[in-house]
Amino acid sequence: MTTLTIQTPDDWHLHLRDGDMLPETVAATARCFKRAIVMPNLVPPVTNAEMALAYRQRILDARPAGNTFEPLVTLFLTNSTSAQDIIDAKAAGIVAAKMYPAGATTNSDAAVKQLETMYPILEVMQEQGMLLLVHGEVTDHHIDIFDREKEFIDQKMVHIVKQFPELKVVFEHITTADAAQFVQAAGNNIAATITPQHLLLNRNDLLVGGVRPHNFCLPVLKRNTHQQALREVVKTGSPKFFLGTDSAPHAKEAKENACGCAGCYSAWSAIELYAHVFEEIGALDKLEGFASHYGADFYGLPRNEGTITLVREDWTIPTEIELPNGKPIVPFFAGQQVHWKLQR
Ligand SMILES: NC(=O)N[C@@H](CC(=O)O)C(=O)O
Ligand SMILES: [Zn+2]
Ligand SMILES: [Zn+2]
């Protein structure tokens, strides 16, 4: 196969950041994705409809001329989120709210401390038909970082799912066989996003031969058996698993640091990297469902019109990209070859 045409895809988990980052990040995603679920972990976080709509407008203003990319902004849940916040957000066209356990990841200090105290809010979300997006890791100091996703399933996720049978939940950026099995076994109101890095890499790629800060993201890369399980699950073509890049840029100096930030900036090559890995596992025929159908179907949104075409052509991801403010940023998979390229 030398070309691959699929219906226009969407990215169901994305960090665009804000301010002078937007011209770079919006253009990178808008080159091939029609829509994206945009994460609300700004500083300060996007906690109400007014902030979300203002953020949406800043993203729209940063689009390249003539581009029709549609950001789907989300609400950041905190212990102060009220039922009215959810009702107002829903009325403003916001389709989902994000739950981070406090301290779990980048800019999540303001997030939810005692998850169970949020149950009245989840109740309202269920009523309103607003999706719950979850960063599924516990943050207890005594829990090993490699076990935090599994522990979250056992401690939290099973109860949420039981308590709110009508609530649509997206288990974001899953990294383990445990999460894949959990989602598969759960009802049709539970789905998951999977990133390119968790399909392409395992923890050896983070630590063998020296620490690779640009492969560091959260949840952290797991052992190869978990990577294998994620590959198997996308290969089945199950509609419960769909594309969410978790593209999460940090300045080069913040990644190459004694205390480096978590996040891989994959937007530059995301669709190509998925094609690369789907080809590797012999599942190119499953890419379209994963990238362009299942997410929209799960969110209850129409599938996109139009198509994109990928060409089988080797190219090398740049080692650095310069931000509009002159600061360098290192894209995910920098300096490495990818076998597919978006036709422009
Ligand atoms: N995935 C990451 O490693 N980082 C994300 C936050 C997140 O999605 O957890 C970020 O905003 O930098
Ligand atoms: Zn996360
Ligand atoms: Zn994320």
Side-chain angles (χ1 to χ4, degrees), residues 13 15 39 41 98-100 104-106 134-137 172-173 218-219 246:
H13 183 131
H15 302 267
M39 290 295 141
N41 61 331
K98 181 71 190 277
M99 186 158 65
Y100 296 95
T105 188
T106 310
V134 184
H135 180 111
E137 287 192 289
E172 299 291 342
H173 48 43
L218 288 170
D246 195 18

Side-chain angles (χ1 to χ4, degrees), residues 47-320:
T47 49
N48 59 48
E50 197 187 336
M51 292 173 91
L53 293 183
Y55 183 37
R56 179 172 181 274
Q57 192 57 50
R58 295 197 294 280
I59 298 167
L60 291 174
D61 293 344
R63 291 182 303 186
N67 187 280
T68 61
F69 171 70
E70 244 181 83
L72 304 169
V73 288
T74 56
L75 215 61
F76 184 108
L77 295 174
T78 74
N79 287 101
S80 314
T81 304
S82 67
Q84 197 60 46
D85 288 332
I86 300 297
I87 293 165
D88 292 347
K90 180 70 187 182
I94 293 160
V95 296
K98 181 71 190 277
M99 186 158 65
Y100 296 95
T105 188
T106 310
N107 302 337
S108 62
D109 295 346
V112 174
K113 292 208 174 61
Q114 254 282 320
L115 205 153
E116 291 72 19
T117 62
M118 296 301 287
Y119 276 19
I121 298 301
L122 301 190
E123 190 79 49
V124 180
M125 288 176 63
Q126 178 173 254
E127 271 163 34
Q128 293 283 317
M130 184 176 287
L131 276 81
L132 174 68
L133 317 180
V134 184
H135 180 111
E137 287 192 289
V138 297
T139 54
D140 314 57
H141 288 296
H142 67 282
I143 306 289
D144 189 274
I145 189 166
F146 292 101
D147 299 333
R148 288 179 172 200
E149 185 171 277
K150 160 108 176 73
E151 203 55 43
F152 187 88
I153 298 169
D154 299 343
Q155 282 187 32
K156 309 289 177 187
M157 210 60 157
V158 289
H159 302 289
I160 295 176
V161 165
K162 204 164 174 190
Q163 201 75 24
F164 303 100
E166 305 292 323
L167 180 66
K168 280 192 191 176
V169 181
V170 184
F171 198 155
E172 299 291 342
H173 48 43
I174 61 165
T175 64
T176 57
D178 311 276
Q181 278 155 18
F182 172 80
V183 171
Q184 265 175 322
N188 285 336
N189 53 321
I190 315 299
T193 51
I194 306 185
T195 74
Q197 64 267 25
H198 293 104
L199 290 170
L200 282 160
L201 308 178
N202 60 63
R203 66 193 191 183
N204 281 6
D205 301 295
L206 179 65
L207 296 169
V208 171
V211 64
R212 318 262 164 182
H214 300 290
N215 291 344
F216 176 55
C217 65
L218 288 170
V220 71
L221 294 169
K222 303 299 191 297
R223 63 166 62 238
N224 60 355
T225 49
H226 291 294
Q227 176 196 11
Q228 198 51 42
L230 298 181
R231 287 174 167 229
E232 291 302 327
V233 94
V234 298
K235 211 174 159 170
T236 65
S238 161
K240 285 171 151 274
F241 302 90
F242 46 83
L243 186 155
T245 62
D246 195 18
S247 178
H250 293 275
K252 180 179 176 177
E253 62 189 20
K255 295 282 296 172
E256 299 178 6
N257 191 292
C259 184
C261 291
C264 302
Y265 184 41
S266 61
W268 249 77
S269 55
I271 194 67
E272 292 91 340
L273 287 171
Y274 281 113
H276 183 101
V277 73
F278 273 65
E279 181 180 58
E280 223 167 76
I281 63 177
L284 269 181
D285 61 323
K286 302 292 190 327
L287 182 66
E288 185 174 39
F290 179 82
S292 316
H293 297 163
Y294 306 150
D297 297 352
F298 187 79
Y299 272 79
L301 296 170
R303 294 179 183 179
N304 293 321
E305 285 169 17
T307 58
I308 63 160
T309 296
L310 294 155
V311 186
R312 191 147 195 327
E313 179 189 317
D314 289 345
W315 62 292
T316 304
I317 296 179
T319 49
E320 250 178 50

